[in-house]
DNA sequence: GGTAAGTAGCTTAGCGCTAAGCTACTTACC
DNA sequence: GGTAAGTAGCTTAGCGCTAAGCTACTTACC
């Protein structure tokens, strides 16, 4: 059982409070967050930056810092959940991609590696593991002698149908905490942020 | 120059559209997202799940799927930016933690590894690299003969002060695309989601 | 039909991380 | 002062990934 998880990514760090006057930093953070909500770990970080570099606008950090952090925390939690089914996050993604493609739950390794943005080397490893566990089968492609087809077994179908439900239940808890209206509103704002992120990426 | 990046995490996959009728899937997605906004990659995935497993509520996926995706996309972009300064994301985090702790920019390896949620082994590697690059120094702790202190060099201070500005500029582009009010609203909703996530994690 | 270019999947080397275990201390307790 | 427990930082083995290069084809073109 791991005691440490993935590394935090840029601006995702917390608890550097050890090194400063906690109360003072929290005051700075509360001023920075500009709401009645209690300051969180990201407010603490933006507060430190505001003190050290008052020339910087830290709003982007307040948004993306929380996105990095939520991604890591929830990702770790999902990973732990999938272990109940004997699979990791990477294996889950392969099974899920096959499952939601619909019957007969068959794709080529190339389609899978393109979808999951994985190199063929990485894909080979995941398929080896899943085939050994009896969750999928590799068969020759009848129409292309170079090609393979990867198909979910009955066992694999059963595992993914259970696992996707468990994973959704885990994510539903905090989302329901927002209430249905705010959860929808958050999804809408995130969709717009994704579109804006894609747009700014193309420019660069 | 890598052509493939980090693996996508659960429900973060896109482009499995290869395997289905694109127009049909998009219709499903548009119905699912419930707004006038054009369907995006995550709408396509929730649309596939709605078709295959109509019993599932996919709203949590619509929220966390975008969080995973944004984290990966922006994280990769930041990584590429930091390479201009000769450092990776991990090294950036170490320098940033020292920088925002304030003068004299000194912490122990233990404080750093706790803050960055890294094992001591991982920390040793990052410190080795940064020390070799002349961006920080390791000196004995005068008060504890077991301990070390890690301090930013002038060169390290210069690098991190530049890099943090570049990174913020990169993140500011999409955030500004939302407009100031919606960007603030997004930060507020994300703070609430983080609090709800922490709360549901404690219960489990 | 022959040749060049493209593609599928696999193998290998290297990288950065975790987990586990090590030494060299310090701290708490008697 | 002596001993037990705790802590700091380092080293090693193992894991999953990427990048690069391989073989075995298929496709396009003459």
């Amino acid at each position: 059982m791991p005691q440490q998880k993935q590394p935090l990514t840029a601006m995702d760090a917390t608890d550097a409070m050890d090194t400063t006057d906690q109360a003072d930093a929290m005051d700075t953070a509360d001023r920075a967050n500009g709401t009645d909500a209690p300051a969180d770990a990201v407010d603490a970080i933006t507060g430190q930056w505001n003190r050290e570099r008052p020339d910087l606008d830290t709003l982007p950090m307040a948004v993306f810092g929380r996105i990095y952090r939520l991604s890591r925390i929830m990702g770790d939690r999902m990973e732990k959940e999938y272990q109940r089914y004997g699979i990791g996050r990477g294996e889950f993604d392969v099974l899920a991609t096959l499952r939601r493609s619909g019957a007969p739950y068959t794709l080529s390794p190339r389609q899978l590696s393109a979808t999951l943005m994985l190199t063929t080397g990485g894909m080979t490893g995941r398929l080896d593991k899943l085939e050994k566990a009896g969750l999928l089968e590799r068969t020759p492609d009848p129409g292309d002698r170079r090609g393979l087809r990867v198909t979910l077994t009955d066992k694999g179908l059963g595992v993914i149908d259970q696992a996707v439900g468990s994973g959704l239940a885990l994510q539903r808890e905090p989302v329901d905490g927002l209430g249905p209206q705010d959860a929808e509103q958050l999804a809408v704002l995130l969709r717009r942020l994704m579109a804006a992120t894609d747009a700014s990426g193309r420019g660069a």
Side-chain angles (χ1 to χ4, degrees), chain A residues 21-129:
Chain A
D21 177 358
Q22 178 107 10
D24 178 57
M26 281 306 179
D27 283 353
T28 310
D30 280 332
R31 258 178 275 121
N33 98 28
T35 72
D36 291 338
D40 65 7
V42 173
D43 288 321
I45 291 171
T46 55
Q48 283 194 309
W49 279 115
N50 285 338
R51 188 192 61 203
E52 292 291 321
R53 292 285 307 274
D55 58 309
L56 296 177
D57 167 19
T58 53
L59 176 60
M61 242 182 228
V63 171
F64 278 105
R66 290 187 174 89
I67 285 174
Y68 298 141
R69 186 174 288 262
L70 279 163
S71 172
R72 196 187 57 79
I73 292 172
M74 209 62 203
D76 287 350
R77 224 177 267 180
M78 300 281 272
E79 174 125 57
K80 210 178 148 194
E81 182 67 22
Y82 297 148
Q83 280 173 5
R84 304 207 298 122
Y85 303 97
I87 55 176
R89 229 183 303 181
E91 282 91 56
F92 175 92
D93 288 340
V94 174
L95 298 180
T97 304
L98 287 164
R99 175 65 184 84
R100 63 187 161 72
S101 77
Y105 313 120
T106 299
L107 295 169
S108 68
R110 178 127 292 262
Q111 284 174 310
L112 285 167
S113 60
T115 299
L116 298 170
M117 291 198 215
L118 207 63
T119 59
T120 55
M123 201 66 232
T124 298
R126 287 194 191 176
L127 293 179
D128 285 350
K129 192 170 290 184

Side-chain angles (χ1 to χ4, degrees), chain A residues 132-198:
Chain A
K132 195 174 290 180
L135 302 177
L136 55 77
E137 283 179 333
R138 279 191 265 212
T139 52
D141 184 333
D144 184 341
R145 277 214 268 175
R146 299 165 311 171
L148 274 186
R149 311 174 100 210
V150 174
T151 303
L152 233 41
T153 61
D154 288 345
K155 187 178 170 190
L157 183 61
V159 164
I160 189 60
D161 268 339
Q162 284 229 279
V164 72
S166 300
L168 271 173
L170 212 59
Q171 294 178 321
R172 181 153 38 236
E173 258 193 274
V175 169
D176 281 354
L178 294 181
Q181 279 199 320
D182 284 349
E184 278 292 353
Q185 172 66 4
L186 178 53
V188 168
L189 287 172
L190 287 170
R191 186 188 293 107
R192 287 183 52 210
L193 183 63
M194 256 181 62
T197 300
D198 284 349

